[in-house]
Amino acid sequence: MMSHFRWTTLWPLLLATSLSPSTLAEDRNTASAVFAAGCFWCVEEAYDKVEGVVATTSGFSGGDVANPGYDQVVAGGTGHAEVVKVEYDPEKVDYSTLLYVFWRNVDPFAENRQFCDQGASYRSALFPMNQAQRQAAEDSRAEVTERFEREVATEINDFKAFYPAAEYHQDYYDKNPLRYQFYKSACGRSDRLEEIWGDEAEASRQP
């Protein structure tokens, strides 16, 4: 299995701090959303390109273990998925646009894996933080199901908590571009996205 785990085993992991919905967006002018689309390095890169996104943070959500470490999560058993918390300016970009970007940066048919990374921690999932986000998430999944006329594996789960990953993982694509590009290429992410989405693959905005 090709995974970015091999490049992190020599680095100490920091204990994460749980963030509740009320603290995810400290600035009242921003909102937050949480997405699981496989390797969080790649998801950060995708959302950092979106106009109106203020910040992205790699971390973990969806499990029952508090303050999980990276090794725990990828080994399985915690219930968490690798996710990215996206802080955005609603006056510049809306949640529907973020959903559009999400779908075109994920293989919606892969169950408990994304591209070369296998296991439940790499599953695709949406974590709506309020009823409006949930309705939008459900509507978007229905649209993808109708478009491809096949079952979509992407989960929609209520948001409970977000635990940031160690600093080593934050902005990895920018801090370690050569290793990142090798991983992304070898993992076949871009090729698979193009196979599914064509010209829409890896979109950073709606057309």
Side-chain angles (χ1 to χ4, degrees), residues 117-181:
D117 292 317
Q118 301 183 31
S121 62
Y122 293 107
R123 68 188 182 273
S124 64
L126 295 165
F127 294 91
M129 302 175 70
N130 53 50
Q131 187 55 41
Q133 285 192 0
R134 171 167 278 279
Q135 187 61 59
E138 291 178 349
D139 289 346
S140 70
R141 184 170 64 177
E143 290 172 1
V144 173
T145 301
E146 181 178 3
R147 170 172 173 168
F148 293 99
E149 298 183 332
R150 59 180 295 190
E151 185 176 354
V152 169
T154 302
E155 300 176 1
I156 299 178
N157 302 312
D158 289 334
F159 174 79
K160 295 180 180 179
F162 171 81
Y163 301 97
E167 180 59 30
Y168 172 78
H169 293 290
Q170 308 304 332
D171 300 313
Y172 186 91
Y173 75 93
D174 188 45
K175 295 185 294 188
N176 300 278
L178 294 179
R179 286 185 174 181
Y180 171 72
Q181 289 300 330

Side-chain angles (χ1 to χ4, degrees), residues 43-61:
V43 184
E44 271 201 60
E45 181 194 24
Y47 279 107
D48 280 344
K49 296 176 181 177
V50 178
E51 184 177 359
V53 167
V54 177
T56 57
T57 307
S58 288
F60 314 105
S61 282

